[in-house]
Amino acid sequence: MSLVPMADILKKANEEYYAVGGFNINNMEFLQGIIWAAEETNSPLILQASEGAIKYIGMDYLVNMVKAAVKDTHISVALHLDHGSSYDVIMRCIREGFSSVMYDGSKYPFKQNIRMTKEVVKAAHSVGVTVEAELGKIGGAEDDVKVEDKDAKFTKPDEAEEFVEKTGVDALAIAIGTAHGVYKGKPELDFDRLKEINSRLEIPLVLHGASGVPEEDVRRAVTMGINKVNVNTNFQQAFTGKIRELLDNDPKLYDPRKYCGPGRDAIKAKVKEKIEFFGSKNRA
Ligand code: 13P
């Protein structure tokens, strides 16, 4: 199967009240662990790469690995750019075959974010590519995107309505108390805000920074309009944790297949757990 636009995957999720994982790829083991888990659970999948991951893996390697991964798959898969920082980066990803992009203009003032997102939407939609945008400012750190706690800003429902109307985006990442990376304390999600935003918008909403959010809170958010849940940190922890355990237990171990393979299995098991509680199992 070839890659599909993320809008197709999210439309069904939105109509049927479940969420699809936006799962980050950091290397080949991540890609395989994630796609194998999605295939075995018959779940649609959004594979996403940050600019940092593209730089680390290399654009050609990344795109061709993903093409190889989806060649014989029966599930719907979108390849999505996570936190695209500029029009140029986004155009490059579209040219290389991404079926979806996120333009993150959240660092700009509201009007500028609208103007720049609108330009991206115009170009992406002309070639059938989906666009996710961000409004408010999600805290924490994701590669080069770093937002101090004092600078994090919750999404305002009035602004969300105006933003979606003026830009025509397909999906909106909202700030309701989550943060990228490892949490310092227990995250407190603003469910009233989510309810208000969802009541004003028709499009799917996206929850970033979901790794440290308790399962029941993610489930609740999904029943309230979240249709895409991003996870990266949990898979990094699963992969690295397994490798650390194996190397600590056996100082003579040197064949990377003997620790990266189990690391990949650990990612796969985590992905299956997420798919189960996002509700996307058997929806491919
Ligand atoms: P985590 O750091 O919580 O895994 O979030 C990832 C994310 O939101 C990617 O955009």
Side-chain angles (χ1 to χ4, degrees), residues 24 48 82-83 141-142 179-183 207-212 230-234:
N24 286 70
Q48 54 188 29
D82 192 24
H83 292 284
E142 169 87 15
H180 294 113
V182 177
Y183 284 87
L207 191 69
H208 283 241
S211 280
N230 285 7
V231 183
N232 185 19
T233 304
N234 271 170

Side-chain angles (χ1 to χ4, degrees), residues 154-173:
F154 281 14
T155 308
K156 296 187 182 125
D158 282 347
E159 288 192 351
E161 209 175 340
E162 185 182 342
F163 185 87
V164 171
E165 194 190 305
K166 293 197 167 149
T167 58
V169 281
D170 304 286
L172 187 67

Side-chain angles (χ1 to χ4, degrees), residues 146-157:
K146 295 188 181 82
V147 178
E148 298 295 332
D149 289 353
K150 65 175 178 29
D151 299 321
K153 272 193 213 104
F154 281 14
T155 308
K156 296 187 182 125

Side-chain angles (χ1 to χ4, degrees), residues 14-36:
N14 188 252
E15 286 164 2
E16 297 176 18
Y17 302 97
Y18 61 89
V20 178
F23 296 145
N24 286 70
I25 324 166
N26 293 284
N27 61 20
M28 183 191 75
E29 282 77 10
F30 274 67
L31 172 60
Q32 292 177 326
I34 292 169
I35 193 142
W36 294 342

